[in-house]
Amino acid sequence: MKKLYAFSLALICAFPAQAGNWDLFPLGQKTVYVDSTQALPSTEQHVVDSVQITGAVRTFYFDRSSMDGSYYGCETIGGTTQQWAFNSYTIDSLVQVSDTVYFHSTFSTTPFFFLPHATVGQSWTVVSTWPGNGYNSITITCSTAGVQTFLGLTDSVKVFSLTPNGSSLGQAPISDHQFVLSKTYGLLAYVPFDQFLYHPANSQFQSREMAGLEIGAITAGYQRPLVSDYFHLAPGDLRSWELHFLPAWIVDPETLEYMEDSITNVVASSDSVVYMFDRTFYHADGAITYHIGLKERYWLPEWMAMLEAPGYGIAFGPGLANGPLGIFISGADLPLVWTAPAHEWLYEPLLSATVERLSLFNGGAMLNTNDCAYTEATDMASDVDIDNWAGVTRLKFSNMNETTQTLLGFRINGIVKGLMTIGIDQPRMMGRTAPSIQPNPARESITFLGLPPGATGQFTIYDGLGRQVMVGTLPTAAISVQGLQPGIYMVQVRYSDRTEMARFVKE
């Protein structure tokens, strides 16, 4: 790996890191959880970085720094942080009153709540009013208490069992999971709180297990890559791209173009990395052009916010510019509101190490920095894939048309992966092959069209706020969407070698 450049970021309204007393998420602690139920193991990082105290009520905010518009001068208006207005239904805060911790969701008029100071044998019941659930309540019981060792640390620990008052056909019971709570370091294992309130039969329960933590001078277990680990290209490194254009009109053909980049210089500072490179462009009409001195600039505070956002949380970040020479990261347009799903772990034999990958997407929401108000375009969307080996590996810009720039191969630090000889013998025109969803709009079910023959992988459906509402494996027949609320949904289709996005409207 190349030299790393570290930097610090001030937290707005943050409090010093400190150990709690049966806190679910100790204030200031970075906790990485792994979800082993996914086809590809994935991780989420949770950080409660600020708290508001009003009398006996304490409101704990998650990852406020990632969702903070202060980079653009828009942190607050009249004392109200704008991020909460946009993201009011996602897991952004917990409310503690006395010894009870509450989580509220738009899916139920009654909240999820937890009693961290419960004694052995004590139980309580969480009731959901969501009409699509097969049953409406789950009882949580403190079953055991004692001392355990985990991640090389030893602490007092309580274990809580989960018992539903019914079942749903085809759904593994929540009783297969449990909560495990450390007195000093918070939840060691848990079921996401929103699943107690929204659990129709087509949504499987998941479990989060602690893989690593950092609080003050204490580190244990897995530590996520630094933001600088994602931007370590050096002069002499090479990249090979495919540029896929999908026009809006069905009568127009798809086109493929190819680009080869040679990194010529890198300028790195405490808050940015700039790549300078020369590009050879193989156009759809067979022409070849050469472009000297192109630039990509990455502002690290933006990317730190995006890379450290909790699973399915939001972060302000740069926009994309779709130009004649490819798609570039652009800071000139309005900053976008990105949704950041969980990070994926991919073992890379060439490195004998695990690579961490993140697929970010934007459904058209942006921050107008003139009046610090949100704007949402229903006919625009953007995707970015990034990992801590090759950096940005995929860019997608959608308006009426769709343009996708995918990294086919590279040479980084002398290691070669993928296809490096491109352009001359590659096809330029092709029939339509991108996956699509029918019917669209949909009322009862959807079907994927245009999947590659024999395709296997995983699909995930997100609502307009970036919340995961459904997950399944490919290939698949018709998927029931009757339990979804009306609105716009994003569908992420993940194959073994790439990720595709599509959208549909639920009536």
Side-chain angles (χ1 to χ4, degrees):
M1 292 295 182
K2 310 299 192 304
K3 182 179 179 181
L4 304 182
Y5 298 85
F7 69 95
S8 61
L9 177 66
L11 299 181
I12 307 301
C13 300
F15 286 72
Q18 59 187 37
N21 184 15
W22 301 113
D23 289 338
L24 301 185
F25 300 94
L27 184 64
Q29 176 175 300
K30 292 184 178 181
T31 311
V32 175
Y33 292 96
V34 63
D35 178 5
S36 58
T37 65
Q38 300 296 315
L40 295 173
S42 59
T43 69
E44 298 180 4
Q45 177 171 279
H46 294 301
V47 185
V48 174
D49 57 9
S50 56
V51 61
Q52 178 179 336
I53 302 174
T54 306
V57 178
R58 295 163 62 88
T59 303
F60 296 90
Y61 292 107
F62 283 82
D63 207 71
R64 191 169 182 173
S65 60
S66 290
M67 297 184 284
D68 197 334
S70 61
Y71 305 137
Y72 310 100
C74 293
E75 178 194 0
T76 61
I77 298 177
T80 302
T81 307
Q82 295 302 292
Q83 66 204 41
W84 312 127
F86 176 83
N87 208 35
S88 57
Y89 299 129
T90 60
I91 305 177
D92 59 11
S93 62
L94 298 176
V95 177
Q96 180 175 337
V97 182
S98 186
D99 288 339
T100 305
V101 179
Y102 296 91
F103 165 74
H104 296 268
S105 167
T106 184
F107 287 110
S108 177
T109 58
T110 55
F112 168 86
F113 66 101
F114 198 89
L115 305 178
H117 293 275
T119 56
V120 174
Q122 184 177 353
S123 64
W124 65 97
T125 300
V126 176
V127 177
S128 172
T129 61
W130 176 247
N133 296 332
Y135 50 91
N136 66 351
S137 67
I138 300 170
T139 299
I140 305 174
T141 303
C142 181
S143 53
T144 64
V147 177
Q148 290 187 17
T149 298
F150 52 92
L151 303 180
L153 304 170
T154 301
D155 196 23
S156 298
V157 170
K158 297 178 185 178
V159 178
F160 298 81
S161 61
L162 309 174
T163 306
N165 72 333
S167 62
S168 295
L169 183 64
Q171 183 183 67
I174 194 172
S175 54
D176 290 351
H177 305 281
Q178 61 185 10
F179 278 60
V180 182
L181 178 63
S182 159
K183 181 177 183 180
T184 306
Y185 302 105
L187 286 169
L188 307 183
Y190 73 100
V191 174
F193 306 152
D194 58 330
Q195 295 185 11
F196 286 78
L197 307 176
Y198 177 84
H199 48 263
N202 58 14
S203 178
Q204 292 292 335
F205 289 104
Q206 299 172 349
S207 180
R208 305 287 188 265
E209 298 181 3
M210 182 185 288
L213 65 86
E214 176 186 346
I215 183 167
I218 299 174
T219 59
Y222 179 77
Q223 300 297 300
R224 272 192 166 175
L226 301 174
V227 63
S228 50
D229 293 335
Y230 292 85
F231 304 105
H232 56 80
L233 298 185
D237 289 344
L238 304 175
R239 302 180 301 187
S240 170
W241 300 94
E242 178 183 83
L243 195 64
H244 178 196
F245 177 68
L246 180 66
W249 297 105
I250 192 69
V251 296
D252 295 331
E254 297 181 52
T255 60
L256 295 176
E257 300 181 301
Y258 297 89
M259 303 175 294
E260 293 177 337
D261 294 344
S262 175
I263 306 297
T264 58
N265 194 20
V266 178
V267 178
S269 65
S270 61
D271 65 357
S272 65
V273 173
V274 180
Y275 295 142
M276 283 162 275
F277 59 96
D278 299 336
R279 171 166 289 176
T280 303
F281 199 119
Y282 300 89
H283 298 271
D285 61 3
I288 303 175
T289 59
Y290 304 93
H291 307 274
I292 308 300
L294 300 182
K295 292 183 181 181
E296 291 176 359
R297 181 181 186 274
Y298 298 94
W299 189 38
L300 299 187
E302 286 182 319
W303 285 90
M304 179 177 181
M306 296 161 68
L307 292 165
E308 293 201 347
Y312 313 109
I314 66 168
F316 292 104
L320 300 184
N322 187 17
L325 300 180
I327 302 176
F328 292 91
I329 301 294
S330 173
D333 298 325
L334 298 179
L336 300 183
V337 183
W338 292 92
T339 298
H343 293 215
E344 295 174 341
W345 279 349
L346 303 174
Y347 181 75
E348 180 48 65
L350 292 174
L351 292 176
S352 298
T354 296
V355 172
E356 192 149 315
R357 182 178 73 181
L358 177 63
S359 296
L360 300 141
F361 63 87
N362 164 266
M366 60 193 74
L367 180 66
N368 189 326
T369 54
N370 293 324
D371 57 7
C372 292
Y374 289 102
T375 302
E376 190 162 10
T378 58
D379 60 348
M380 295 185 65
S382 303
D383 301 359
V384 171
D385 290 357
I386 183 172
D387 66 48
N388 65 319
W389 183 14
V392 172
T393 61
R394 179 176 175 271
L395 301 166
K396 183 175 181 179
F397 183 86
S398 304
N399 42 26
M400 294 299 293
N401 306 308
E402 291 184 0
T403 305
T404 305
Q405 181 174 315
T406 305
L407 190 67
L408 296 181
F410 55 81
R411 186 185 71 196
I412 297 176
N413 199 25
I415 299 177
V416 177
K417 181 181 180 181
L419 184 64
M420 292 300 298
T421 303
I422 60 171
I424 300 300
D425 298 322
Q426 301 298 323
R428 301 294 201 279
M429 304 289 182
M430 57 188 294
R432 289 178 173 266
T433 59
S436 62
I437 295 174
Q438 296 292 334
N440 193 359
R443 290 186 179 181
E444 298 180 353
S445 64
I446 59 173
T447 301
F448 293 124
L449 300 179
L451 296 178
T456 60
Q458 179 174 294
F459 72 88
T460 308
I461 300 178
Y462 305 93
D463 65 13
L465 294 173
R467 179 196 294 270
Q468 176 181 306
V469 297
M470 195 181 305
V471 64
T473 57
L474 299 175
T476 185
I479 303 166
S480 173
V481 294
Q482 287 182 309
L484 301 182
Q485 293 180 318
I488 298 175
Y489 289 83
M490 301 287 291
V491 182
Q492 182 186 66
V493 180
R494 288 184 289 179
Y495 307 106
S496 60
D497 59 344
R498 68 186 189 280
T499 301
E500 298 282 357
M501 298 293 295
R503 292 192 293 176
F504 74 94
V505 176
K506 169 63 167 58
E507 292 184 331

